[in-house]
Amino acid sequence: MVILFAVFLLTLLALTAVAIVRTENLFVAVMLTGIFSLLMAANFFVLDAADVALTEAAVGAGISTVLFLGALALTAEHERSVVSGRWLSMGIVVVTTLILIYATFDKPRLGDPRAPVHQHVAPWYLDQTPELIGIPNVVTAVLGSFRGYDTLGEVFVVVTACIGVLFILGVRRGGYSPSPDGDRLTTAGSGLRHHLIPKVVGRLLIPFIVLFGLYVLFHGEYGPGGGFQAGAIIATGIILYALLDGEAQALKAVPRPVLMGMVVGGATLYGAVGVAGIALGGSFLDYSVLADDPVKGQQLGILIIEVGVGLAVCGSLLSIFHAFAARGRH
Amino acid sequence: MTLTTHLPALQVVVPMLTAPLVVLMRVPGLAWATAAVASFMAFIIAVSLTGAVLQGGSVIYLMGSWPAPYGIELRVTSFSALLLLIVTAASTLTLLAGKRSIDADVDPEQQPLFYAAWLLAVAGLAGIVVAGDAFNIFVFMEIASLASYVLIAAGPDRRALPSVFKYLVMGTIGATFYLIGVGLVYMMTGTLNLGDMEARIQEVGDLRSILVAAGFITVGLALKAAVFPLHAWLPSSYTYAPHMVTAFLAACSTKVALYVLLRFDFLVFQQNLPAHAVQFFIFLMPLAVLGVLVASGVAMFEKDLKRLLAYSSVAQVGYILLGASLGSVMGLTGGIVHIFNHALAKGALFLAVACLGARIAQLQLKGIHGVARHMPWTMAAFVVSGLSLIGVPGTAGFISKWYLVSAALQEGTVGLILVAVVLVSSLMAVVYIWRVIEAAYFGATPSSAKPAGEAPPALLVATWVAALANIYFGVDPSLPLTLSTQAATTLLEHLP
């Protein structure tokens, strides 16, 4: 049954990918990438990677589609057709694909318990997590603690991207009041404000989306999810609000300085937990020293860093969104 | 535990955690000062780590106190110490010198973001260098790359944006290739720790997945390192970036990618994959030779000062790879020490260009006619660093060329051809450096564009510090040579 689902999803995925490449209408391409991400999320779910599926659905299908639309509002809708070098690119893509297929010939069968990935570090994580960290979701334990340094790095990737977008689009921080009309992305672009049904239904959804985000944040130790997903989900809720009631309203609810505070505060909070590890006699990002009982310390540490991740990701995504939307007004 | 044991972590954490705070600093000059202080602290940490490595060998740090293949390990070797010195010194020197230059290029309101991106670039590059884990390298590569794109896009010329977009696309492809390779290796070995990978890849070394992984990782990193013919992103990016950014990134960013390439290839792949070593050398050597000759050739005909030096950088990457492709301790030492020496020479040259840029709007060869009369100190520093780039005895550049030539001479007939290549390309370097000197010293100053005297003092001092470092490390090269020899020996001792 699962294999049937997988084949179905992967076929759709391939078709969508081809359609994205072939279409010259950028709006269609953006919509298709949203579908692509949703299919990808379903694929991850079929492969039992619920945490990744949640992220892909929120970021890939949700936020990046909105950001693409934001960029599209600033440019033309149709792709300029490029003739030169097409065959060369095609050749390179085909060769790379063939090489990748060649690489899978020695691949262990999907789900094979004897595969190297299930033999080496993974059993250790499964064995040790209950004892060392004491939480049921091993993925959270790996991302939050065992490989917490990578997660810190990922948070800074998002922060760097946010800094980059703000810098390049040249948005002044907090220094202006957004005008209620003349807002292309949220009024002319989508025009949801004057449509009654999306507005009513959307408004009903927003509190639940935000609540679900908070649930994902604080429940990450038990079920799928964590700070990253939570930040993305809450950001989606607020972006939906911006689409329904205009960017100005969204900025009134969560002003720009607050967003910047979330980005800086979240990243700094995570870093501060790491430094606290050093200050209390452990090493960087060693949560065991945060409480008298090392297991309690681990749980506390993971909770704090998840909050940090959530703040930084939510703040960054919203800042990027507003940067695009503000650009539309100029 | 004392603070000293935490140095490998602090090397990354200090600039990284300062960056978000810098974003909030809106008092003019405060963001710059904080960034400079953080960068200087990173430099001090790099110096202490170098001392520790020279005394007691590699320094290992376990993040979160988790044991190695399960948690993330940092590993500072002689090779990493050399790179850390380059990254932090380049950043500190350019920051200290560059306030006025950056003020001219970047809008004051945007400066907090700019300096935050700068610190993130430092943190990213340092993070790659100290990492002992293949995925961790990827994460910090992302930070370093994104931050570099931002820095380059800050260029006052509008053409900075299309060139940075090209860099972004190419850089993303490079990073993706690296990630695909790491994914394949993980699939076959179940580990991400480089040391662990080295041990576990042995059993599966002859499998197709690993072969493909080696290809993807090598190509991806070569793209990041601007190895000929994958260098297309580099010249425009360097040309249109703000002058200080060019000086900083030209000194260290491609070198860090080369560092990962050499480390991954020599430590993980070469002793484990059948015939990989030979293939690596056979494929690499022609690319290195072509890179050296073609890029130097293009540089000889360039009219734009920064683009000229950028093409020269592509050629220098060729020298580094040429040394590596010889596969001997001496060759590899030559390649690695050239990473250091080229950083000195090119850093100093781009600083000198920044000095010129402070007074002249158009940095074309015809725009700098007779400029030496008005900016004698700047041009003198340019000449000194230019001599080092050419490889004149008494300068740092000579040391690496000497090692490369000596290593090539051990290789028989092929070696003689390589010696000829090094000599010819050095002559080409004489030509392109001379064209600048000729214009600056012997060209007639057009009466309309008279530069308003010498460059700002801070910038000039930094340029001379870098230029004199070329002389100092040419006369007493013991520090870079010790580190490079140790690095080369470590890389090669695994080979059969």
Side-chain angles (χ1 to χ4, degrees):
Chain A
M1 196 59 198
V2 169
I3 200 85
L4 211 66
F5 267 123
V7 169
F8 175 68
L9 287 172
L10 287 172
T11 316
L12 276 183
L13 201 64
L15 288 176
T16 317
V18 172
I20 294 173
V21 176
R22 286 194 52 86
T23 180
E24 285 190 355
N25 186 321
L26 292 175
F27 182 75
V28 173
V30 167
M31 286 301 135
L32 286 171
T33 51
I35 295 173
F36 185 89
S37 290
L38 206 59
L39 287 169
M40 206 65 197
N43 258 311
F44 288 138
F45 196 76
V46 168
L47 293 172
D48 286 338
D51 292 80
V52 193
L54 205 53
T55 319
E56 179 69 39
V59 177
I63 289 173
S64 56
T65 311
V66 175
L67 292 184
F68 274 137
L69 287 176
L72 211 55
L74 307 177
T75 55
E77 196 177 300
H78 279 274
E79 186 183 357
R80 221 178 17 208
S81 53
V82 184
V83 186
S84 64
R86 267 199 135 154
W87 289 106
L88 181 68
S89 330
M90 189 68 170
I92 293 174
V93 170
V94 168
V95 170
T96 314
T97 314
L98 290 179
I99 293 175
L100 272 176
I101 293 173
Y102 175 76
T104 59
F105 289 167
D106 289 325
K107 188 178 83 64
R109 215 173 50 80
L110 180 66
D112 184 354
R114 286 162 302 167
V117 279
H118 299 306
Q119 294 288 330
H120 188 46
V121 290
W124 189 89
Y125 289 140
L126 293 175
D127 278 355
Q128 303 289 318
T129 300
E131 193 184 315
L132 293 173
I133 317 250
I135 58 171
N137 188 353
V138 181
V139 177
T140 302
V142 173
L143 295 183
S145 185
F146 296 127
R147 295 188 67 91
Y149 179 54
D150 272 349
T151 310
L152 176 67
E154 293 291 0
V155 170
F156 273 88
V157 171
V158 177
V159 171
T160 314
C162 170
I163 289 175
V165 171
L166 293 187
F167 181 78
I168 291 172
L169 293 186
V171 175
R172 292 202 195 99
R173 283 169 300 121
Y176 74 101
S177 55
S179 58
D181 35 52
D183 180 338
R184 276 182 71 193
L185 170 62
T186 51
T187 323
S190 322
L192 288 181
R193 201 187 309 185
H194 308 295
H195 295 268
L196 193 60
I197 294 174
K199 196 170 170 175
V200 171
V201 177
R203 273 196 179 159
L204 273 177
L205 277 176
I206 292 169
F208 291 102
I209 294 177
V210 174
L211 195 64
F212 180 61
L214 289 173
Y215 164 78
V216 167
L217 176 64
F218 292 105
H219 210 256
E221 297 166 17
Y222 306 98
F228 200 94
Q229 292 90 338
I233 290 170
I234 294 174
T236 320
I238 297 173
I239 289 178
L240 183 60
Y241 181 59
L243 291 177
L244 293 174
D245 285 73
E247 194 216 352
Q249 285 294 322
L251 270 181
K252 235 181 237 166
V254 194
R256 222 174 275 273
V258 174
L259 291 178
M260 215 51 205
M262 284 165 76
V263 176
V264 172
T268 311
L269 183 64
Y270 199 149
V273 176
V275 176
I278 293 183
L280 295 172
S283 54
F284 189 71
L285 290 175
D286 186 350
Y287 313 142
S288 307
V289 292
L290 294 181
D292 293 333
D293 177 15
V295 176
K296 284 268 155 37
Q298 287 290 341
Q299 289 171 355
L300 180 67
I302 290 179
L303 190 65
I304 301 176
I305 64 126
E306 293 286 7
V307 172
V309 174
L311 282 173
V313 169
C314 185
S316 298
L317 292 175
L318 285 173
S319 300
I320 293 174
F321 168 76
H322 285 307
F324 273 105
R327 185 78 179 181
R329 268 195 307 275
H330 295 321
Chain B
M1 287 207 268
T2 57
L3 210 55
T4 341
T5 49
H6 297 293
L7 285 180
L10 292 175
Q11 178 75 79
V12 185
V13 168
V14 168
M16 190 158 82
L17 290 187
T18 315
L21 302 179
V22 167
V23 175
L24 298 180
M25 293 174 177
R26 304 172 73 173
V27 183
L30 188 60
W32 167 77
T34 315
V37 168
S39 174
F40 185 68
M41 278 166 73
F43 176 63
I44 300 288
I45 295 172
V47 170
S48 348
L49 274 173
T50 311
V53 168
L54 284 174
Q55 271 180 8
S58 302
V59 181
I60 290 168
Y61 188 80
L62 300 177
M63 275 291 168
S65 311
W66 298 117
Y70 313 111
I72 294 173
E73 173 194 50
L74 304 186
R75 188 179 280 263
V76 182
T77 62
S78 321
F79 199 178
S80 354
L82 190 77
L83 266 294
L84 288 177
L85 285 178
I86 297 173
V87 171
T88 54
S91 154
T92 309
L93 196 60
T94 42
L95 270 181
L96 286 178
K99 183 165 187 311
R100 281 176 67 175
S101 178
I102 293 169
D103 281 344
D105 285 341
V106 184
D107 184 38
E109 285 204 44
Q110 298 278 72
Q111 281 189 7
L113 294 171
F114 177 84
Y115 287 113
W118 187 297
L119 284 179
L120 287 168
V122 176
L125 293 169
I128 298 171
V129 174
V130 297
D133 183 284
F135 186 74
N136 195 233
I137 290 177
F138 173 75
V139 172
F140 280 89
M141 205 190 272
E142 286 292 277
I143 298 180
S145 309
L146 283 177
S148 318
Y149 306 146
V150 178
L151 293 181
I152 293 172
D157 194 318
R158 292 290 291 174
R159 282 171 291 181
L161 290 175
S163 28
V164 87
F165 184 69
K166 193 170 174 184
Y167 182 20
L168 185 144
V169 172
M170 302 282 249
T172 308
I173 294 175
T176 311
F177 270 40
Y178 174 78
L179 189 64
I180 291 174
V182 171
L184 288 171
V185 174
Y186 178 69
M187 180 174 82
M188 303 313 289
T189 60
T191 187
L192 290 169
N193 182 286
L194 284 177
D196 198 28
M197 209 178 258
E198 182 187 345
R200 289 179 59 88
I201 210 169
Q202 232 146 11
E203 301 160 29
V204 291
D206 54 345
L207 293 182
R208 282 170 280 204
S209 310
I210 298 294
L211 183 69
V212 172
F216 269 97
I217 289 173
T218 310
V219 173
L221 292 171
L223 193 53
K224 286 259 177 207
V227 172
F228 182 86
L230 303 173
H231 64 279
W233 57 266
L234 185 141
S236 298
S237 301
Y238 281 15
T239 308
Y240 299 121
H243 300 314
M244 299 327 286
V245 172
T246 312
F248 168 42
L249 292 182
C252 57
S253 84
T254 54
K255 275 101 182 166
V256 169
L258 277 173
Y259 158 85
V260 181
L261 177 64
L262 292 181
R263 211 171 124 190
F264 221 112
D265 228 282
F266 277 87
L267 292 185
V268 178
F269 292 139
Q270 293 215 352
Q271 80 273 29
N272 293 318
L273 273 54
H276 177 81
V278 179
Q279 287 167 3
F280 184 73
F281 300 142
I282 287 177
F283 282 116
L284 210 56
M285 199 182 284
L287 287 184
V289 168
L290 274 176
V292 167
L293 293 177
V294 173
S296 303
V298 175
M300 289 198 314
F301 296 97
E302 263 310 328
K303 293 187 180 65
D304 185 295
L305 212 50
K306 283 172 89 178
R307 196 178 281 275
L308 182 152
L309 292 176
Y311 272 106
S312 155
S313 281
V314 177
Q316 310 298 320
V317 170
Y319 283 123
I320 297 165
L321 281 181
L322 188 65
S325 71
L326 291 171
S328 62
V329 174
M330 189 151 224
L332 204 51
T333 307
I336 294 173
V337 85
H338 196 59
I339 292 182
F340 184 83
N341 290 340
H342 173 239
L344 288 180
K346 200 49 69 64
L349 283 170
F350 272 122
L351 277 170
V353 169
C355 288
L356 294 175
R359 296 284 176 250
I360 303 168
Q362 291 293 322
L363 288 174
Q364 308 287 329
L365 280 184
K366 62 175 188 293
I368 61 162
H369 275 297
V371 77
R373 256 162 264 149
H374 307 282
M375 307 174 77
W377 287 98
T378 301
M379 280 318 294
F382 189 94
V383 172
V384 170
S385 357
L387 291 177
S388 176
L389 188 74
I390 294 164
V392 173
T395 61
F398 174 69
I399 308 293
S400 28
K401 294 261 167 90
W402 176 257
Y403 267 76
L404 286 177
V405 168
S406 320
L409 283 175
Q410 295 169 354
E411 303 290 316
T413 327
V414 183
L416 287 178
I417 299 172
L418 294 180
V419 172
V421 168
V422 173
L423 291 182
V424 168
S425 58
S426 299
L427 288 176
M428 291 162 114
V430 173
V431 173
Y432 59 71
I433 292 295
W434 174 252
R435 288 179 66 221
V436 180
I437 293 173
E438 187 187 22
Y441 280 89
F442 304 108
T445 321
S447 52
S448 56
K450 211 168 161 190
E454 248 324 332
L459 195 52
L460 200 59
V461 168
T463 312
W464 268 98
V465 168
L468 290 178
N470 277 291
I471 304 286
Y472 177 81
F473 288 108
V475 177
D476 177 20
S478 55
L479 173 74
L481 268 183
T482 317
L483 290 172
S484 311
T485 317
Q486 280 179 12
T489 321
T490 326
L491 289 184
L492 284 169
E493 72 190 356
H494 299 261
L495 295 195

